[in-house]
């Protein structure tokens, strides 16, 4: 049997919120929308603080990546330096609790804004990766996909003298590096056609593929409510799913430490640690 953490007392206001969430879950299966706040317990930083402000340098923009060799060098150097922390990241208590909820029929589908694959590592089966997965790399020329672990070997072979030095992890499996450190970084081309390689994720400024949006909306339509976990919803791809749920007449609840873009649309919000709240909810079901 897996070890369980002792659950400490919590403020009455949060306890009341959890009671209301538990009642909501009893009404039928919920669709879940997860964000970076769920994975911080796994050592992966969030983009924003509790006020919705950026905590790190601005992320790579889609068009900049396509147009600029220097931007691609900076991205892949940072990714090369930070990949190990992402690859070795383990699911946290919140991920595991959601897997148990799926097994019990409480959660019908997980739509995630995260690209870390931790829901799948935890055992969740019905997962829609809204922004793709960082564990895959796409060739923009021929469309072939490769495991990110393989690309790490190609990057190492192309840059035998590259040393990142001390780095700080960044949200998408990359690391904070000065631009000068990436100036001479060499990027291998696609082994099939020598095309440009890009992580199989939706960069900022790009659009989520229509079929993923449609699948996410269908999963919400099939549920009794939508539960947002660990997302500020500042990115439109997440916010519009909350808006869709409200237009469909569904109840919408959130577990998030700090503001969300959709606070005015929420029926219930619990401002507390995602993992702790989900563990407590699991214990009540």
């Amino acid at each position: 049997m897996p070890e369980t953490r002792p659950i400490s007392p919590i403020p009455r206001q949060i306890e009341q919120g959890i009671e209301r969430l538990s009642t909501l879950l009893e009404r039928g299966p919920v669709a879940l929308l997860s964000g970076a706040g769920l994975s911080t317990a796994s050592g992966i930083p969030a983009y924003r603080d509790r006020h919705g402000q950026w905590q790190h340098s601005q992320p790579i923009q889609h068009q900049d990546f396509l147009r600029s060799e220097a931007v691609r060098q900076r991205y892949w150097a940072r990714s090369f330096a930070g990949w190990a922390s992402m690859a070795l990241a383990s699911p946290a208590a919140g991920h595991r609790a959601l897997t148990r909820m799926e097994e019990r029929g409480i959660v019908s589908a997980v739509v995630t804004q995260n690209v870390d694959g931790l829901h799948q590592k935890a055992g969740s089966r019905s997962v829609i990766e809204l922004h793709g997965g960082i564990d895959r790399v796409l060739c923009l020329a021929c469309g072939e996909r490769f495991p990110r672990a393989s690309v790490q070997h190609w990057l190492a072979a192309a840059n035998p003298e590259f040393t990142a030095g001390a780095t700080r992890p960044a949200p998408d499996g990359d690391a904070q590096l000065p631009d000068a450190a990436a100036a001479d970084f060499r990027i291998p081309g696609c082994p099939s056609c020598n095309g440009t390689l890009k992580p199989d994720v939706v960069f900022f400024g790009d659009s989520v593929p229509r079929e993923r949006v449609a699948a996410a909306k269908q999963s919400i339509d099939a549920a009794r409510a939508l539960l947002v976990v660990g997302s500020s919803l500042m990115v439109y791809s997440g916010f519009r799913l909350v808006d869709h749920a409200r237009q469909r007449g569904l109840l919408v609840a959130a577990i998030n430490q700090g503001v969300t873009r959709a606070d005015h649309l929420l029926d219930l919000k619990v401002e507390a640690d995602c993992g702790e709240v989900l563990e407590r909810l699991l214990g009540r079901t």
Side-chain angles (χ1 to χ4, degrees):
M1 294 290 292
E3 294 185 4
T4 57
R5 300 183 304 171
I7 298 180
S8 57
I10 58 175
R12 180 56 184 164
Q13 182 179 4
I14 294 176
E15 181 65 34
Q16 289 174 338
I18 292 174
E19 290 175 2
R20 292 178 62 192
L21 275 177
S22 180
T23 300
L24 176 65
L25 296 181
E26 291 173 357
R27 297 178 181 176
V30 301
L32 185 120
L33 174 62
S34 69
L38 183 63
S39 293
T40 55
S42 297
I44 300 173
Y47 281 109
R48 303 175 190 270
D49 62 20
R50 63 180 297 110
H51 305 291
Q53 302 300 314
W54 291 108
Q55 299 188 101
H56 307 275
S57 58
Q58 291 288 325
I60 295 290
Q61 297 291 314
H62 178 67
Q63 290 300 325
D64 292 342
F65 184 91
L66 297 182
R67 294 169 180 165
S68 171
E69 175 72 13
V71 170
R72 292 194 291 273
Q73 284 181 308
R74 186 165 72 249
Y75 173 81
W76 281 115
R78 291 172 52 155
S79 179
F80 179 69
W83 169 247
S85 62
M86 177 68 82
L88 296 174
S90 299
H95 299 100
R96 295 190 295 271
L98 289 173
T99 298
R100 295 286 301 279
M101 290 182 184
E102 182 186 55
E103 293 171 350
R104 297 181 184 181
I106 301 168
V107 170
S108 55
V110 173
V111 180
T112 184
Q113 296 173 282
N114 300 336
V115 298
D116 51 40
L118 291 178
H119 284 295
Q120 294 92 322
K121 283 186 178 181
S124 291
R125 296 183 178 182
S126 182
V127 180
I128 298 170
E129 292 180 311
L130 205 58
H131 298 153
I134 201 70
D135 61 341
R136 304 182 299 273
V137 174
L138 170 70
C139 173
L140 295 177
C142 70
E144 189 168 352
R145 286 175 168 79
F146 306 94
R148 176 63 183 80
S150 298
V151 176
Q152 186 75 354
H153 293 304
W154 304 344
L155 292 169
N159 299 275
E161 299 179 358
F162 179 81
T163 55
T167 62
R168 292 185 296 114
D172 283 339
D174 50 354
Q176 301 291 341
L177 284 178
D179 289 351
D184 298 320
F185 197 79
R186 291 177 289 276
I187 311 168
C190 169
S192 298
C193 72
N194 201 39
T196 298
L197 296 176
K198 174 186 174 293
D200 195 11
V201 300
V202 177
F203 279 150
F204 281 80
D206 195 7
S207 299
V208 177
R210 291 181 179 180
E211 62 273 14
R212 287 186 207 161
V213 176
K217 288 182 176 179
Q218 288 172 5
S219 70
I220 293 170
D221 293 345
R224 297 291 299 274
L226 175 64
L227 175 60
V228 179
V229 176
S231 177
S232 67
L233 300 169
M234 295 298 176
V235 177
Y236 181 67
S237 59
F239 174 81
R240 69 176 168 188
L241 295 180
V242 172
D243 187 53
H244 173 78
R246 289 313 306 259
Q247 291 184 28
R248 298 286 294 179
L250 274 66
L251 292 174
V252 181
I255 306 168
N256 189 66
Q257 292 183 309
V259 301
T260 83
R261 183 179 178 181
D263 277 351
H264 63 291
L265 297 176
L266 301 177
D267 295 291
L268 170 62
K269 180 180 177 183
V270 178
E271 290 203 51
D273 178 78
C274 298
E276 183 174 356
V277 172
L278 289 171
E279 282 188 303
R280 289 177 180 273
L281 284 173
L282 182 64
R284 291 169 177 263
T285 56

